[in-house]
Amino acid sequence: MPPPVPITVRYRFRASSAAEARAHADALLVEQTVETPPVVSQRYPYVREHLMGSVAQVEDLGEGHFHAHLVLPEGLAQTDTAQLLNVVFGNASIHAGLVLDGLDLPESLLVGRGPRHGLAGLRALCDVPSGPLVASALKPAGLSPDEIAALAFGFGLGGLDLVKDDHYLADHAFAPLDARVRAVVEALDRAADRTGRRTRYAPNLSGSPGEVFRQADVAQRLGADAVMVAPMLVGLPTTAELVRAHLSVPLLAHPSFSGMNVASEVLLGQLFPLVGADAVIFAGYGGRFSVDPEACRALARRIRAPFDGMTGAMPVPAGGMTVERAAELTAFYGPDTMLLVGGSLLAADTPGDPTALADATRALRLAARPTGC
Amino acid sequence: MPPPVPITVRYRFRASSAAEARAHADALLVEQTVETPPVVSQRYPYVREHLMGSVAQVEDLGEGHFHAHLVLPEGLAQTDTAQLLNVVFGNASIHAGLVLDGLDLPESLLVGRGPRHGLAGLRALCDVPSGPLVASALKPAGLSPDEIAALAFGFGLGGLDLVKDDHYLADHAFAPLDARVRAVVEALDRAADRTGRRTRYAPNLSGSPGEVFRQADVAQRLGADAVMVAPMLVGLPTTAELVRAHLSVPLLAHPSFSGMNVASEVLLGQLFPLVGADAVIFAGYGGRFSVDPEACRALARRIRAPFDGMTGAMPVPAGGMTVERAAELTAFYGPDTMLLVGGSLLAADTPGDPTALADATRALRLAARPTGC
């Protein structure tokens, strides 16, 4: 049996010498634990014995970059999700130029957390046992429920696996959540009657906790197959409570407002699944965001295996993906991927005639899964 | 009467030419609004007329830095706090190297938001009509309720204005919230019986929303004078709901987990007060964080005046402040300031003898407010 994993964080920072880097690592350990001078923390036996943590290693990466590997006290993080984030990167996040780019958690902190459906659950929901999945978005914000449903009908006819709301769709007067969900579910059912295959729908939830929980109830009651939230907008602990207490359907996580000094592989690849995301949308290589291809591939791998023993989530590259590049991109990311294509499909739409959008959708699906299914 | 203010954001980024900067600004506008190709968004009259926003200005800051000033559609942001953040900096936050460093909001989005007590309410609570306020922290995490209360007693004897929990104190088995609040309130009452002056107490709340709301009820019922949360840990919308639906006492905001690509003046100076913080703790010049003095002064000014017409909050510089530098630092930040001094006071403590901590506390108070009061 492998030894138990402690909380281990890896911080990247610059320093002018190995000695300075070591001093910085020591200071960061204090920052993330007792946050008092040694003369104070050493007075208290329980603190001294259980809550000091340690600097496991300071690694010279060359060219003035260093990695500090800290072991942090499990007992300090055990109460709740907010506190877990606090211990992992609370005050350290305020230090300019510091990045959290590695994280390990002990099993005690994984219990009751993580995706409930995960990658396999998404596959089952969409009835795609193998090969990449394809998804799209209902947008722009400002469309009426009928206009949104018309798009959904085209996607449904084309056999799209999953369609989600644009992340700018909240509970607006121009398209209230309940009217939107009713209209889209009806449109997808109608399309399925013709095709024999049902596109799945994930409406977007937004608001303060009470409102998000209410919207989750409404969406599920009206037939949503999954829901989407942006964990950094609503808060990671809110997302955790949503998943644990209010959701039976899978959760898609959107990356809005996630520009933190935490590496994507940790924030989206580990922390989003930790609070229960079954699928994680990210700005993917091959679109309009400047992102490194290998970093994207590593992020996708991490989403599928966030922590040892945790159910993997579905990686969902997005942000300017196109039908034309679908084959190349699904080859790049591998089959355990949901490709999210928005504008490129919607540009093919002809309002009033669902067949144009259906044809583009079908082309996307065939590009991603040439053998059909 | 001045013309109504729209939602205006200012993004800072690098570009190799004015033309590239303009193209980037145009792309960012699409990113923050319709997020679809023009051929799609132009199809829908409501979208075209109300939800496109505009690029107000692209400013060349020299040396390859630019500012894009965007006007964003108020109607898109009106539903809730998460959506407001989404419109202001949702997907834009994912673009590497981009910083949100300016924000204006229309009055319609300020209604029902902002500090309820604010700077003046904190002064009234602590009974300090003029001059800087002084505060400290109960730490390290790991102390028992009795050990915490012993520190509180010393602070109370010394006439500290406000004492808060360390932000690492959650609802741990070694110091559960209810036992902690009971013990500290009792200790501060006891000290007040001797001095005639009552130190105010702000326990820290942590958890997912249901837990934070429960803790708020417990803390207030047991006599807490204020509470603290870290808005970026629990989520900004959760903080807003906490303030609106669960708190009567003032709220202190802690900066843990706030290392985003949003300028401190916007995140801590405007968004924290927007969700209801009455006092905002920040890593202050003069302590252990490397921060620019003028940026700190500007941040303090902004906390006191977050948006036109909004109640100002109390700036609370912290993070390595010392008794020795108290006079200099309160002169630097000005009288509308609460100086938060932790380790430097605690180092003076002698367990078992409250007079040592009381003397150090008294020295801090006199350094900050030489005329007494």
Side-chain angles (χ1 to χ4, degrees):
Chain A
M1 221 176 86
V5 182
I7 301 182
T8 314
V9 294
R10 193 178 64 187
Y11 298 144
R12 194 175 67 232
F13 57 88
R14 300 187 67 95
S16 59
S17 68
E20 187 187 296
R22 176 72 209 196
H24 195 34
D26 289 339
L28 286 167
L29 178 66
V30 172
E31 191 72 82
Q32 287 307 110
T33 53
V34 292
E35 214 202 335
T36 47
V39 61
V40 177
S41 49
Q42 291 301 315
R43 275 180 200 144
Y44 302 99
Y46 184 82
V47 174
R48 203 170 56 218
E49 283 161 31
H50 298 289
L51 299 178
M52 302 297 291
S54 63
V55 175
Q57 194 193 349
V58 179
E59 202 180 339
D60 190 338
L61 305 172
E63 301 184 355
H65 293 272
F66 292 84
H67 262 157
H69 301 250
L70 309 187
V71 174
L72 297 172
E74 193 176 332
L76 202 56
Q78 257 159 352
T79 55
D80 64 80
T81 300
Q83 177 69 358
L84 173 58
L85 300 171
N86 200 9
V87 169
V88 163
F89 200 51
N91 274 12
S93 84
I94 315 172
H95 285 274
L98 187 84
V99 174
L100 170 67
D101 75 349
L103 174 65
D104 261 318
L105 293 177
E107 214 182 301
S108 68
L109 291 172
L110 303 181
V111 173
R113 296 196 165 102
R116 297 153 306 140
H117 302 270
L119 196 151
L122 260 288
R123 280 203 178 284
L125 177 73
C126 298
D127 194 21
V128 181
S130 62
L133 288 76
V134 291
S136 192
L138 299 167
K139 60 185 185 179
L143 306 195
S144 67
D146 283 352
E147 287 169 325
I148 292 172
L151 293 176
F153 186 65
F155 285 131
L157 279 189
L160 193 72
D161 297 316
L162 181 140
V163 67
K164 68 166 193 70
D165 281 347
D166 182 34
H167 73 291
Y168 287 125
L169 288 181
D171 200 11
H172 292 105
F174 50 73
L177 179 81
D178 58 350
R180 200 163 87 220
V181 175
R182 269 184 232 277
V184 171
V185 166
E186 188 277 331
L188 294 178
D189 285 345
R190 197 154 32 86
D193 286 344
R194 292 214 211 161
T195 64
R197 176 182 171 75
R198 173 63 150 71
T199 295
R200 300 300 171 182
Y201 173 45
N204 182 49
L205 314 181
S206 174
S208 60
E211 182 59 19
V212 168
F213 301 157
R214 184 192 70 80
Q215 290 177 11
D217 294 341
V218 169
Q220 291 176 107
R221 185 164 39 77
L222 297 178
D225 306 293
V227 297
M228 181 170 81
V229 294
M232 295 303 286
L233 283 180
V234 303
L236 289 160
T238 302
T239 305
E241 183 167 329
L242 171 70
V243 165
R244 208 176 51 249
H246 300 274
L247 278 192
S248 57
V249 301
L251 176 75
L252 275 72
H254 190 281
S256 181
F257 207 61
S258 67
M260 277 199 81
N261 47 5
V262 179
S264 291
E265 209 179 316
V266 175
L267 188 61
L268 278 68
Q270 296 187 284
L271 293 177
F272 281 19
L274 185 73
V275 296
D278 297 292
V280 178
I281 301 171
F282 61 96
Y285 157 72
R288 68 177 183 272
F289 290 80
S290 303
V291 282
D292 174 66
E294 281 319 306
C296 280
R297 189 132 57 180
L299 173 57
R301 265 197 303 266
R302 177 59 85 173
I303 290 168
R304 294 182 198 112
F307 292 97
D308 276 353
M310 178 175 281
T311 303
M314 177 70 81
V316 188
M321 306 287 109
T322 59
V323 176
E324 292 69 28
R325 299 189 63 181
E328 170 203 347
L329 291 172
T330 48
F332 176 81
Y333 287 108
D336 276 340
T337 302
M338 176 179 278
L339 193 66
L340 176 56
V341 180
S344 159
L345 277 183
L346 292 167
D349 179 41
T350 310
D353 172 16
T355 59
L357 184 55
D359 288 347
T361 300
R362 212 169 284 119
L364 170 65
R365 193 157 51 96
L366 283 170
R369 297 200 297 271
T371 58
C373 98
Chain B
M1 220 177 83
V5 181
I7 301 180
T8 314
V9 294
R10 193 177 67 186
Y11 297 144
R12 193 176 69 232
F13 57 88
R14 299 187 67 96
S16 58
S17 67
E20 188 188 296
R22 175 73 210 195
H24 195 34
D26 289 339
L28 285 167
L29 179 66
V30 172
E31 191 71 81
Q32 287 307 108
T33 53
V34 291
E35 215 202 332
T36 47
V39 62
V40 177
S41 49
Q42 291 301 316
R43 274 178 200 146
Y44 301 99
Y46 183 82
V47 174
R48 203 168 57 220
E49 284 160 30
H50 298 288
L51 299 179
M52 302 296 290
S54 63
V55 176
Q57 194 194 349
V58 179
E59 203 180 340
D60 190 337
L61 304 173
E63 301 184 356
H65 293 273
F66 292 84
H67 263 156
H69 300 251
L70 309 186
V71 174
L72 296 172
E74 193 176 331
L76 202 56
Q78 257 158 353
T79 55
D80 64 81
T81 300
Q83 176 70 358
L84 172 57
L85 300 170
N86 201 7
V87 168
V88 164
F89 201 51
N91 274 11
S93 84
I94 315 171
H95 286 274
L98 188 83
V99 174
L100 170 66
D101 75 349
L103 174 66
D104 261 319
L105 293 177
E107 215 182 300
S108 68
L109 291 172
L110 303 182
V111 173
R113 297 197 165 102
R116 297 152 306 138
H117 301 270
L119 195 151
L122 261 288
R123 280 203 179 285
L125 178 71
C126 299
D127 194 21
V128 182
S130 62
L133 288 76
V134 292
S136 191
L138 299 166
K139 59 185 184 181
L143 305 196
S144 68
D146 283 352
E147 288 169 325
I148 292 172
L151 292 177
F153 186 65
F155 285 131
L157 279 189
L160 193 73
D161 297 316
L162 182 139
V163 66
K164 67 166 194 70
D165 280 348
D166 183 35
H167 73 290
Y168 287 124
L169 288 181
D171 200 10
H172 292 105
F174 49 74
L177 179 80
D178 57 351
R180 200 163 87 221
V181 175
R182 269 183 233 276
V184 172
V185 166
E186 188 276 330
L188 294 178
D189 285 346
R190 199 155 31 87
D193 285 344
R194 292 215 211 162
T195 64
R197 176 181 172 75
R198 172 63 150 72
T199 295
R200 301 301 171 181
Y201 172 44
N204 182 49
L205 314 181
S206 174
S208 59
E211 183 58 19
V212 168
F213 300 158
R214 184 192 70 79
Q215 289 178 11
D217 294 342
V218 169
Q220 292 177 107
R221 186 162 41 76
L222 297 179
D225 305 294
V227 298
M228 181 170 82
V229 296
M232 295 303 287
L233 283 179
V234 303
L236 289 161
T238 302
T239 307
E241 183 167 329
L242 171 69
V243 166
R244 207 175 52 247
H246 300 273
L247 277 193
S248 57
V249 301
L251 176 75
L252 274 72
H254 190 281
S256 180
F257 207 60
S258 68
M260 279 200 77
N261 48 5
V262 179
S264 291
E265 210 180 316
V266 174
L267 188 61
L268 278 68
Q270 296 187 282
L271 294 176
F272 281 19
L274 185 74
V275 296
D278 296 291
V280 178
I281 301 170
F282 61 95
Y285 156 72
R288 68 177 181 271
F289 290 81
S290 303
V291 283
D292 175 66
E294 281 318 306
C296 280
R297 189 131 59 180
L299 173 57
R301 268 197 302 266
R302 177 59 85 175
I303 290 168
R304 295 183 197 111
F307 292 98
D308 277 353
M310 179 175 280
T311 303
M314 177 69 81
V316 188
M321 307 287 110
T322 59
V323 177
E324 291 69 29
R325 298 189 64 181
E328 169 203 347
L329 291 172
T330 49
F332 175 81
Y333 287 109
D336 277 340
T337 302
M338 176 180 277
L339 193 67
L340 177 57
V341 180
S344 159
L345 278 183
L346 292 166
D349 179 42
T350 309
D353 171 15
T355 59
L357 184 55
D359 289 346
T361 300
R362 213 169 283 120
L364 171 65
R365 192 156 53 95
L366 284 171
R369 297 200 298 273
T371 58
C373 96

Tab-separated table of all heavy atoms in Angstrom, chain A residues 80-83 85 213 231 234-244 275, chain B residues 207-209 212 232-235 238:
chain	number	residue	atom	x	y	z
A	80	ASP	N	-14.133	22.432	5.721
A	80	ASP	CA	-15.030	22.763	4.614
A	80	ASP	C	-14.229	23.164	3.379
A	80	ASP	O	-13.012	23.332	3.442
A	80	ASP	CB	-15.967	23.897	5.027
A	80	ASP	CG	-15.205	25.178	5.314
A	80	ASP	OD1	-14.854	25.884	4.361
A	80	ASP	OD2	-14.926	25.464	6.498
A	81	THR	N	-14.921	23.333	2.260
A	81	THR	CA	-14.248	23.618	0.988
A	81	THR	C	-13.561	24.982	0.974
A	81	THR	O	-12.462	25.133	0.439
A	81	THR	CB	-15.266	23.548	-0.166
A	81	THR	OG1	-15.826	22.225	-0.196
A	81	THR	CG2	-14.615	23.818	-1.505
A	82	ALA	N	-14.202	25.994	1.564
A	82	ALA	CA	-13.568	27.321	1.605
A	82	ALA	C	-12.257	27.245	2.382
A	82	ALA	O	-11.239	27.822	1.976
A	82	ALA	CB	-14.514	28.342	2.238
A	83	GLN	N	-12.282	26.529	3.464
A	83	GLN	CA	-11.103	26.409	4.306
A	83	GLN	C	-10.010	25.602	3.595
A	83	GLN	O	-8.823	25.896	3.730
A	83	GLN	CB	-11.501	25.756	5.639
A	83	GLN	CG	-10.365	25.494	6.589
A	83	GLN	CD	-9.752	26.769	7.158
A	83	GLN	OE1	-10.143	27.877	6.827
A	83	GLN	NE2	-8.764	26.603	8.004
A	85	LEU	N	-9.418	25.624	0.375
A	85	LEU	CA	-8.784	26.590	-0.543
A	85	LEU	C	-7.894	27.554	0.230
A	85	LEU	O	-6.821	27.951	-0.232
A	85	LEU	CB	-9.854	27.407	-1.278
A	85	LEU	CG	-10.846	26.628	-2.136
A	85	LEU	CD1	-11.966	27.555	-2.608
A	85	LEU	CD2	-10.131	26.019	-3.340
A	213	PHE	N	-29.533	27.613	-6.235
A	213	PHE	CA	-30.176	26.366	-5.784
A	213	PHE	C	-31.621	26.318	-6.291
A	213	PHE	O	-32.106	25.269	-6.713
A	213	PHE	CB	-30.132	26.258	-4.256
A	213	PHE	CG	-28.728	26.272	-3.680
A	213	PHE	CD1	-28.498	26.648	-2.358
A	213	PHE	CD2	-27.629	25.913	-4.459
A	213	PHE	CE1	-27.207	26.660	-1.830
A	213	PHE	CE2	-26.335	25.931	-3.933
A	213	PHE	CZ	-26.125	26.314	-2.618
A	231	PRO	N	-17.878	28.029	-11.674
A	231	PRO	CA	-17.529	27.932	-10.242
A	231	PRO	C	-16.842	29.171	-9.680
A	231	PRO	O	-17.026	29.496	-8.510
A	231	PRO	CB	-16.595	26.715	-10.192
A	231	PRO	CG	-17.007	25.882	-11.357
A	231	PRO	CD	-17.381	26.876	-12.425
A	234	VAL	N	-19.821	31.851	-9.105
A	234	VAL	CA	-20.731	31.585	-7.980
A	234	VAL	C	-19.948	31.208	-6.726
A	234	VAL	O	-20.479	31.272	-5.622
A	234	VAL	CB	-21.773	30.490	-8.310
A	234	VAL	CG1	-22.582	30.868	-9.538
A	234	VAL	CG2	-21.127	29.125	-8.470
A	235	GLY	N	-18.684	30.842	-6.880
A	235	GLY	CA	-17.854	30.441	-5.743
A	235	GLY	C	-17.676	28.934	-5.727
A	235	GLY	O	-18.618	28.188	-5.981
A	236	LEU	N	-16.464	28.474	-5.450
A	236	LEU	CA	-16.206	27.033	-5.400
A	236	LEU	C	-17.001	26.345	-4.288
A	236	LEU	O	-17.563	25.268	-4.513
A	236	LEU	CB	-14.701	26.776	-5.266
A	236	LEU	CG	-13.874	27.094	-6.528
A	236	LEU	CD1	-12.404	27.288	-6.192
A	236	LEU	CD2	-14.030	26.004	-7.584
A	237	PRO	N	-17.100	26.932	-3.071
A	237	PRO	CA	-17.895	26.259	-2.030
A	237	PRO	C	-19.389	26.194	-2.385
A	237	PRO	O	-20.063	25.222	-2.030
A	237	PRO	CB	-17.661	27.135	-0.794
A	237	PRO	CG	-16.351	27.823	-1.045
A	237	PRO	CD	-16.345	28.083	-2.519
A	238	THR	N	-19.891	27.218	-3.072
A	238	THR	CA	-21.289	27.194	-3.516
A	238	THR	C	-21.490	26.062	-4.521
A	238	THR	O	-22.504	25.346	-4.491
A	238	THR	CB	-21.670	28.538	-4.156
A	238	THR	OG1	-21.464	29.577	-3.202
A	238	THR	CG2	-23.128	28.546	-4.616
A	239	THR	N	-20.532	25.898	-5.413
A	239	THR	CA	-20.610	24.815	-6.388
A	239	THR	C	-20.639	23.468	-5.671
A	239	THR	O	-21.421	22.579	-6.018
A	239	THR	CB	-19.404	24.888	-7.347
A	239	THR	OG1	-19.364	26.196	-7.926
A	239	THR	CG2	-19.517	23.850	-8.454
A	240	ALA	N	-19.805	23.334	-4.653
A	240	ALA	CA	-19.764	22.082	-3.892
A	240	ALA	C	-21.116	21.803	-3.226
A	240	ALA	O	-21.610	20.673	-3.256
A	240	ALA	CB	-18.652	22.149	-2.837
A	241	GLU	N	-21.725	22.829	-2.651
A	241	GLU	CA	-23.029	22.630	-1.996
A	241	GLU	C	-24.116	22.337	-3.036
A	241	GLU	O	-25.003	21.505	-2.799
A	241	GLU	CB	-23.403	23.854	-1.157
A	241	GLU	CG	-24.718	23.672	-0.405
A	241	GLU	CD	-24.957	24.730	0.681
A	241	GLU	OE1	-23.982	25.231	1.278
A	241	GLU	OE2	-26.132	25.053	0.929
A	242	LEU	N	-24.033	23.015	-4.176
A	242	LEU	CA	-24.982	22.754	-5.268
A	242	LEU	C	-24.960	21.277	-5.648
A	242	LEU	O	-26.004	20.620	-5.744
A	242	LEU	CB	-24.602	23.614	-6.489
A	242	LEU	CG	-25.335	23.329	-7.799
A	242	LEU	CD1	-26.796	23.766	-7.701
A	242	LEU	CD2	-24.658	24.035	-8.980
A	243	VAL	N	-23.766	20.758	-5.844
A	243	VAL	CA	-23.605	19.369	-6.276
A	243	VAL	C	-24.079	18.400	-5.194
A	243	VAL	O	-24.783	17.436	-5.475
A	243	VAL	CB	-22.121	19.100	-6.624
A	243	VAL	CG1	-21.840	17.617	-6.721
A	243	VAL	CG2	-21.746	19.816	-7.910
A	244	ARG	N	-23.712	18.684	-3.976
A	244	ARG	CA	-23.974	17.749	-2.886
A	244	ARG	C	-25.444	17.749	-2.479
A	244	ARG	O	-26.005	16.704	-2.158
A	244	ARG	CB	-23.115	18.136	-1.686
A	244	ARG	CG	-22.748	17.016	-0.763
A	244	ARG	CD	-21.808	17.496	0.337
A	244	ARG	NE	-22.300	18.664	1.026
A	244	ARG	CZ	-21.764	19.886	0.958
A	244	ARG	NH1	-20.684	20.104	0.232
A	244	ARG	NH2	-22.279	20.902	1.617
A	275	VAL	N	-14.854	20.082	-6.590
A	275	VAL	CA	-16.152	20.561	-6.100
A	275	VAL	C	-17.307	19.922	-6.865
A	275	VAL	O	-18.453	20.295	-6.663
A	275	VAL	CB	-16.263	22.110	-6.123
A	275	VAL	CG1	-15.254	22.713	-5.167
A	275	VAL	CG2	-16.115	22.672	-7.524
B	207	GLY	N	-16.997	28.312	4.920
B	207	GLY	CA	-17.754	27.135	4.516
B	207	GLY	C	-18.545	27.357	3.243
B	207	GLY	O	-18.436	28.394	2.599
B	208	SER	N	-19.337	26.353	2.897
B	208	SER	CA	-20.263	26.508	1.788
B	208	SER	C	-21.423	27.365	2.297
B	208	SER	O	-21.530	27.623	3.491
B	208	SER	CB	-20.714	25.144	1.291
B	208	SER	OG	-21.337	24.434	2.331
B	209	PRO	N	-22.274	27.883	1.390
B	209	PRO	CA	-23.229	28.921	1.790
B	209	PRO	C	-24.084	28.560	3.004
B	209	PRO	O	-24.188	29.357	3.952
B	209	PRO	CB	-24.091	29.097	0.543
B	209	PRO	CG	-23.227	28.666	-0.585
B	209	PRO	CD	-22.332	27.600	-0.052
B	212	VAL	N	-22.001	28.927	6.071
B	212	VAL	CA	-21.658	30.322	6.385
B	212	VAL	C	-22.875	31.041	6.977
B	212	VAL	O	-22.753	31.789	7.954
B	212	VAL	CB	-21.159	31.064	5.123
B	212	VAL	CG1	-21.089	32.572	5.343
B	212	VAL	CG2	-19.787	30.541	4.718
B	232	MET	N	-13.431	35.988	-1.699
B	232	MET	CA	-12.972	35.168	-2.818
B	232	MET	C	-12.953	33.684	-2.454
B	232	MET	O	-12.964	32.824	-3.328
B	232	MET	CB	-11.603	35.624	-3.310
B	232	MET	CG	-11.600	37.019	-3.895
B	232	MET	SD	-12.782	37.225	-5.269
B	232	MET	CE	-11.914	36.311	-6.556
B	233	LEU	N	-12.921	33.366	-1.171
B	233	LEU	CA	-13.029	31.961	-0.751
B	233	LEU	C	-14.481	31.500	-0.804
B	233	LEU	O	-14.793	30.471	-1.375
B	233	LEU	CB	-12.497	31.766	0.666
B	233	LEU	CG	-10.989	31.742	0.874
B	233	LEU	CD1	-10.683	31.566	2.353
B	233	LEU	CD2	-10.333	30.629	0.066
B	234	VAL	N	-15.367	32.254	-0.168
B	234	VAL	CA	-16.765	31.806	-0.119
B	234	VAL	C	-17.506	32.186	-1.391
B	234	VAL	O	-18.561	31.637	-1.678
B	234	VAL	CB	-17.509	32.357	1.123
B	234	VAL	CG1	-16.790	31.956	2.398
B	234	VAL	CG2	-17.706	33.853	1.049
B	235	GLY	N	-16.959	33.107	-2.171
B	235	GLY	CA	-17.623	33.581	-3.384
B	235	GLY	C	-18.233	34.953	-3.168
B	235	GLY	O	-18.833	35.211	-2.123
B	238	THR	N	-22.064	34.797	-2.718
B	238	THR	CA	-22.401	34.286	-1.389
B	238	THR	C	-22.260	35.394	-0.356
B	238	THR	O	-23.082	35.538	0.556
B	238	THR	CB	-21.478	33.103	-1.024
B	238	THR	OG1	-21.636	32.093	-2.018
B	238	THR	CG2	-21.818	32.530	0.345
